[in-house]
């Protein structure tokens, strides 16, 4: 069996592709892979913040197009980069075990790594309106500035002093750890109820064509059940709340035993107003919990 995998060409994307290949090999040891590198709009446009580009799914659209054009059989993504609705004819069919969903504050090793300890006026880099809004809600005296580029590019900008700190997904750092160790940096997790992460953060998603039922069955078998339940809850939340990369909203599901806890938050662009909610529900109905969390968040937001 041979599978063509479409992916971005960044170091992190290739590592994530290798993780997916190893997942599939565990259930189909004889499979062979061809990697198809796709350059996306998000990779090409590096001089604008994500929200200013004006295109949804800027890191996934062209990658998924390779499936629709029959240039690849599956596509690998960070789940957080997938919009709530993907192209007709495609389905999110595979989910990796989840790496930590936290956002972290990364700094050079001689600089305070706690958000509360940052000096007034510290320059903090992020390309996310969600991170910007919640950061300003905590520290209005810091300067939150746009930073673009792959994870390793952002770390390089931090190390050379372009920024005092950056906020970044812990999962990306964890997957790049062998590279990160060569830099003199440290990082601290930001609590989930302080900065709710992007839905899907920490999970690698595999997209396939709906018609390829045998391949979808293989991806189902290869998927991590806990990550699948969390992903279903978070994507139902995202669809219901109507969010995307342009909306300061975050939400994460935490699957423990037969229950799932959902932490979600919404803030205005300047961090002057925010709402954080917690809900729990049965792990047998993850999508129902995600929908309920979205309704509760919107209700509390409209009441505030």
């Amino acid at each position: 069996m041979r599978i063509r995998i479409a992916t971005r060409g960044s170091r992190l994307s290739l590592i994530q592709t290798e993780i997916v290949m190893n997942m599939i090999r565990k259930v189909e040891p004889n499979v062979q892979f061809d990697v198809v590198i796709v350059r996306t709009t998000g990779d090409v446009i590096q001089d604008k913040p994500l929200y200013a580009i004006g295109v949804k799914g800027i890191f996934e659209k062209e990658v998924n197009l390779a499936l629709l054009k029959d240039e690849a059989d599956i596509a690998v993504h960070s789940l957080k980069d997938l919009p709530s609705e993907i192209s007709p004819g495609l389905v999110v069919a595979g989910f990796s075990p989840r790496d930590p969903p936290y956002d972290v504050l990364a700094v050079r090793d001689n600089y305070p790594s706690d958000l509360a300890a940052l000096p007034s006026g510290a320059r903090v880099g992020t390309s996310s309106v969600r991170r910007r809004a919640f950061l300003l809600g905590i520290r209005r005296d810091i300067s939150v500035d746009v930073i673009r580029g792959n994870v390793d590019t952002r770390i390089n900008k931090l190390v050379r002093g372009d920024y005092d700190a950056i906020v970044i997904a812990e999962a990306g750092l964890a997957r790049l750890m062998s590279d990160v160790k060569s830099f003199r940096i440290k990082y601290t997790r930001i609590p989930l109820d302080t900065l709710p992460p992007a839905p899907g953060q920490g999970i690698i998603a595999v997209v396939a064509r709906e018609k390829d039922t045998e391949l979808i069955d293989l991806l189902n078998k290869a998927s991590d059940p806990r990550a699948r339940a969390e992903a279903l809850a978070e994507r139902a939340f995202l669809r219901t709340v109507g969010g995307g990369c342009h909306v300061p909203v975050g939400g994460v599901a935490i699957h423990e035993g037969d229950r799932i806890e959902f932490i979600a938050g919404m803030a205005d662009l300047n961090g002057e107003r925010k709402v954080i909610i917690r809900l729990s529900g049965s792990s047998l109905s993850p999508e129902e919990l995600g929908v309920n969390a979205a309704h509760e968040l919107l209700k509390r937001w409209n009441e505030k």
Side-chain angles (χ1 to χ4, degrees):
M1 183 181 191
R2 183 174 290 274
I3 298 175
R4 298 167 297 168
I5 304 183
T7 181
R8 295 165 63 199
S10 70
R11 170 83 173 136
L12 179 58
S13 296
L14 295 175
I15 289 172
Q16 293 179 168
T17 300
E18 187 66 36
I19 290 170
V20 168
M21 291 191 289
N22 289 334
M23 283 170 46
I24 296 173
R25 287 186 183 113
K26 287 181 180 178
V27 296
E28 183 57 63
N30 296 322
V31 67
Q32 294 182 318
F33 296 99
D34 296 317
V35 177
V36 179
I37 303 297
V38 179
R39 195 149 189 220
T40 71
T41 301
D43 296 316
V44 173
I45 302 176
Q46 292 287 324
D47 59 348
K48 295 182 181 179
L50 298 181
Y51 61 83
I53 295 175
V55 179
K56 284 190 176 182
I58 63 169
F59 291 123
E60 60 85 27
K61 201 167 188 178
E62 290 93 339
V63 180
N64 284 344
L65 185 61
L67 273 65
L68 298 173
K69 294 167 65 176
D70 197 27
E71 296 171 352
D73 304 304
I74 61 176
V76 173
H77 303 276
S78 295
L79 182 59
K80 70 182 180 67
D81 290 338
L82 286 178
S84 57
E85 301 290 344
I86 62 174
S87 300
L90 302 181
V91 61
V92 185
F95 304 91
S96 75
R98 188 171 214 162
D99 283 318
Y102 296 86
D103 282 320
V104 298
L105 184 76
V107 298
R108 295 180 295 280
D109 65 357
N110 60 349
Y111 203 80
S113 62
D114 184 81
L115 188 57
L118 288 178
S120 182
R123 190 181 186 208
V124 181
T126 178
S127 61
S128 160
V129 293
R130 171 186 56 85
R131 290 172 179 152
R132 180 184 189 278
F134 283 100
L135 287 171
L136 290 176
I138 303 160
R139 291 289 307 271
R140 301 202 61 76
D141 61 329
I142 61 175
S143 175
V144 181
D145 297 329
V146 172
I147 184 171
R148 289 293 316 280
N150 298 324
V151 174
D152 41 356
T153 300
R154 298 183 201 188
I155 294 172
N156 271 310
K157 291 179 179 180
L158 170 66
V159 170
R160 75 187 185 204
D162 295 357
Y163 300 85
D164 298 311
I166 59 174
V167 176
I168 202 163
E170 182 178 359
L173 289 179
R175 293 168 194 152
L176 284 167
M177 189 51 69
S178 60
D179 296 347
V180 173
K181 284 180 179 177
S182 66
F183 295 107
R184 298 175 64 84
I185 68 167
K186 58 186 177 182
Y187 61 88
T188 302
R189 284 179 174 174
I190 303 174
L192 299 175
D193 56 1
T194 298
L195 178 48
Q201 188 158 296
I203 301 174
I204 303 167
V206 188
V207 172
R209 290 180 288 261
E210 281 182 328
K211 66 180 183 180
D212 293 339
T213 54
E214 289 186 14
L215 189 49
I216 289 172
D217 287 343
L218 176 61
L219 293 171
N220 285 337
K221 291 175 185 174
S223 290
D224 180 79
R226 176 177 173 175
R228 175 183 288 279
E230 293 175 349
L232 290 176
E234 290 167 31
R235 287 184 66 73
F237 165 81
L238 187 61
R239 284 193 301 271
T240 306
V241 83
C245 67
H246 309 331
V247 180
V249 63
V252 60
I254 305 163
H255 186 185
E256 295 289 351
D258 62 353
R259 304 291 292 175
I260 298 178
E261 181 181 28
F262 206 105
I263 301 171
M266 183 179 288
D268 64 15
L269 287 172
N270 296 315
E272 295 174 351
R273 178 179 175 228
K274 68 178 179 179
V275 171
I276 305 285
I277 62 117
R278 287 177 178 260
L279 241 61
S280 66
S282 170
S283 60
L284 299 177
S285 306
E287 291 177 291
E288 180 181 348
L289 175 60
V291 170
N292 290 342
H295 287 318
E296 179 65 19
L297 181 63
L298 292 171
K299 176 186 171 186
R300 291 274 303 279
W301 180 260
N302 291 329
E303 290 174 349
K304 193 173 176 69

